[in-house]
Amino acid sequence: MFFYQQLENDLYRIGVNDRRTARFENMFPMPDGVSYNSYLIKDEKKVLFDTVDASFINDFYSNLNHALGEDKLDYLVITHMEPDHSSAINMVLKDHPDCKLVGNKKTFQFLEQFFGDEFKDRYLEVKNGETLEIGKRTLEFIFAPMVHWPEVMFVLSSEGELFSADAFGTFGAIEGHYSSDLIDMDRAFIDEARRYYINIVGKQGRSVIAILKKLEGKEVKMILPLHGPIHRQKDKIEYFIEKYKTWGSFESEEDGVLIAYSSMYGNTEEAADMLAYELSENGVKNIHIYDVSEYDNSYIISDAHKFSNFVYTAINYNTDLYPRMDAFLRELVGTGFQNRKVSVITNMSWGGRAEKIAEEILEGSKLEKIGETISLKSSLDEEKAAEIKELAKAIADSMK
Ligand code: FEO
């Protein structure tokens, strides 16, 4: 079988959908799957961009062979060496004896670490800014270190096609709509694109801003990422680049409050619910509450980056911070979380250092404290309920 899309006369998407793998990098849930994109240009030279994950080599190979027809590959360009894109490299080189492997010094280092050096004599090493003629197109190699690994490079063709590695990708298998102009990005796309970016690349905001600067002034007519739909319409490309500028700068997208709580017997949950109610009474429209024991951290972290205000609870557990909140806060900090307004609710029945531990974890995150910490003793009472009202007002005021 074969299934691929012809994007232009001589440009094909020959990637695959993965609805079988439960977690990306064995970390992040993918309830709607993911796609591993690979692209083929049939210019005077036949050029393949990246391959796919090891579990889907047969489907990919079938697509490649049908799209190539009688032709043989001249170049295999590797924009990213993570195995979800590089697992079929050796197989392709074996079947295409004149195919050169195009990468940079680090590409080949990682290739050999993962798959050995069987095809060392076919390396074509490029430097940042170098070009390669392939017929009517010239390919320019633009290094994009740490978006998402050190060896990553973008490739911009003289036709305005930008092969962007992991950047501008998303979780979610392609449901027929292979291009973002065929979907409502605000409704069907952006939440999973944000969860993908924040959790996979998020920490490297500076590198993302640096590569966006390198692209300024260059004509980009189409973005071809390694996951998710392509982007070929000007307003969609601009929309997504603006999102990347916001995310890469660690700015919030919207005024809103993310409340992440942990609760053993429901008392801290009640305080979180009461705060949410009072926030609504104060006119706050965007309020999301997550129990860190119930949700995968990747969803909570994504919303924490999205909104202006962050509230967490620090409940004591054997005198330390409740372990699931401890793990959540550490993972949040690991995504570069910063520049937000923060408020805190603590709870203890007989003592502990939960609040202090949480503060230590968040120490380097440049957070602005809003309101006083609300310290519950086991459960809510009238006095604490009044404090929650005050905190809700302070949070709402902080958005004005
Ligand atoms: Fe899609 Fe960084 O791999």
Side-chain angles (χ1 to χ4, degrees):
M1 288 294 291
F2 63 96
F3 177 64
Y4 58 86
Q5 294 85 45
Q6 190 165 3
L7 305 174
E8 284 174 356
N9 272 347
D10 57 357
L11 172 61
Y12 303 79
R13 176 190 171 272
I14 55 168
V16 297
N17 275 335
D18 176 3
R19 295 188 177 90
R20 293 177 219 156
T21 305
R23 288 175 178 270
F24 189 77
E25 295 180 342
N26 213 11
M27 281 271 286
F28 309 106
M30 301 189 293
D32 301 319
V34 71
S35 73
Y36 309 115
N37 300 338
S38 167
Y39 301 99
L40 174 68
I41 291 179
K42 291 174 75 173
D43 207 317
E44 280 173 32
K45 301 289 184 189
K46 312 301 174 236
V47 184
L48 178 66
F49 291 82
D50 299 288
T51 68
V52 298
D53 185 83
S55 308
F56 296 87
I57 286 178
N58 286 348
D59 293 342
F60 160 73
Y61 226 63
S62 169
N63 294 347
L64 173 63
N65 287 338
H66 277 86
L68 267 177
E70 298 298 310
D71 291 322
K72 284 284 183 189
L73 288 172
D74 296 290
Y75 297 109
L76 168 51
V77 177
I78 301 299
T79 67
H80 185 18
M81 263 308 299
E82 196 167 2
D84 54 332
H85 310 294
S86 62
S87 292
I89 291 175
N90 282 359
M91 197 172 177
V92 169
L93 292 176
K94 225 170 254 165
D95 278 2
H96 295 268
D98 297 323
C99 179
K100 293 230 167 0
L101 189 61
V102 183
N104 56 56
K105 197 172 176 188
K106 283 200 166 70
T107 313
F108 298 130
Q109 177 194 330
F110 298 159
L111 173 79
E112 291 178 13
Q113 287 171 200
F114 278 109
F115 305 116
D117 65 356
E118 189 181 347
F119 297 101
K120 209 177 175 76
D121 57 334
R122 296 219 236 139
Y123 294 174
L124 176 60
E125 186 182 319
V126 293
K127 302 237 175 333
N128 185 36
E130 276 187 1
T131 57
L132 178 67
E133 307 282 337
I134 60 166
K136 75 173 181 186
R137 290 174 180 80
T138 302
L139 304 180
E140 180 186 359
F141 301 94
I142 305 167
F143 287 13
M146 301 316 295
V147 187
H148 149 229
W149 279 15
E151 88 296 359
V152 169
M153 58 185 191
F154 289 5
V155 182
L156 180 61
S157 83
S158 50
E159 298 288 297
E161 299 137 343
L162 179 69
F163 299 87
S164 63
D166 276 341
F168 306 108
T170 183
F171 289 132
I174 288 177
E175 298 173 306
H177 305 118
Y178 62 88
S179 181
S180 58
D181 51 287
L182 305 172
I183 54 177
D184 177 344
M185 283 179 89
D186 274 329
R187 194 184 60 79
F189 177 83
I190 202 64
D191 285 343
E192 281 297 80
R194 181 187 305 103
R195 187 169 71 91
Y196 167 83
Y197 169 87
I198 294 294
N199 287 281
I200 311 284
V201 189
K203 189 179 181 180
Q204 314 299 345
R206 271 203 202 98
S207 306
V208 171
I209 296 300
I211 189 68
L212 292 176
K213 275 210 170 6
K214 279 190 198 175
L215 290 173
E216 274 173 15
K218 295 185 187 285
E219 190 173 33
V220 175
K221 291 185 190 156
M222 183 186 286
I223 298 178
L224 302 103
L226 288 175
H227 302 285
I230 64 158
H231 311 282
R232 62 185 175 185
Q233 204 166 283
K234 193 166 181 277
D235 62 328
K236 302 289 183 183
I237 291 173
E238 286 171 357
Y239 168 96
F240 212 6
I241 286 178
E242 281 309 306
K243 287 289 182 196
Y244 262 57
K245 283 183 183 165
T246 303
W247 297 340
S249 309
F250 301 102
E251 301 293 336
S252 59
E253 283 169 74
E254 294 175 24
D255 279 345
V257 185
L258 181 282
I259 303 174
Y261 75 88
S262 47
S263 188
M264 284 180 270
Y265 297 101
N267 293 297
T268 314
E269 180 181 6
E270 188 178 41
D273 269 332
M274 185 176 184
L275 176 63
Y277 170 78
E278 293 296 341
L279 285 167
S280 179
E281 288 288 286
N282 279 276
V284 178
K285 294 215 164 22
N286 291 317
I287 306 162
H288 280 219
I289 304 182
Y290 290 97
D291 178 349
V292 297
S293 297
E294 283 297 321
Y295 285 85
D296 184 83
N297 285 344
S298 64
Y299 291 91
I300 317 175
I301 288 169
S302 180
D303 268 359
H305 280 257
K306 178 179 178 184
F307 293 126
S308 56
N309 287 66
F310 171 54
V311 179
Y312 67 89
T313 66
I315 65 173
N316 289 277
Y317 188 85
N318 283 338
T319 74
D320 288 329
L321 177 60
Y322 189 72
R324 286 178 189 264
M325 180 59 75
D326 188 294
F328 162 70
L329 291 179
R330 287 181 199 280
E331 197 171 334
L332 177 66
V333 168
T335 60
F337 181 71
Q338 56 188 274
N339 298 333
R340 295 295 185 282
K341 295 163 188 161
V342 65
S343 306
V344 187
I345 298 173
T346 68
N347 199 349
M348 68 168 175
S349 295
W350 45 269
R353 302 176 58 245
E355 184 181 7
K356 184 136 187 37
I357 293 170
E359 282 173 357
E360 283 167 7
I361 295 170
L362 294 166
E363 210 165 32
S365 294
K366 293 183 260 173
L367 304 175
E368 179 192 349
K369 181 94 181 270
I370 303 295
E372 298 296 321
T373 295
I374 293 177
S375 306
L376 304 179
K377 287 265 175 61
S378 303
S379 65
L380 265 178
D381 59 17
E382 298 269 328
E383 183 192 338
K384 296 300 167 189
E387 287 181 19
I388 284 178
K389 272 184 190 242
E390 278 175 35
L391 179 60
K393 186 168 182 327
I395 293 172
D397 286 347
S398 78
M399 294 180 191
K400 287 172 186 161

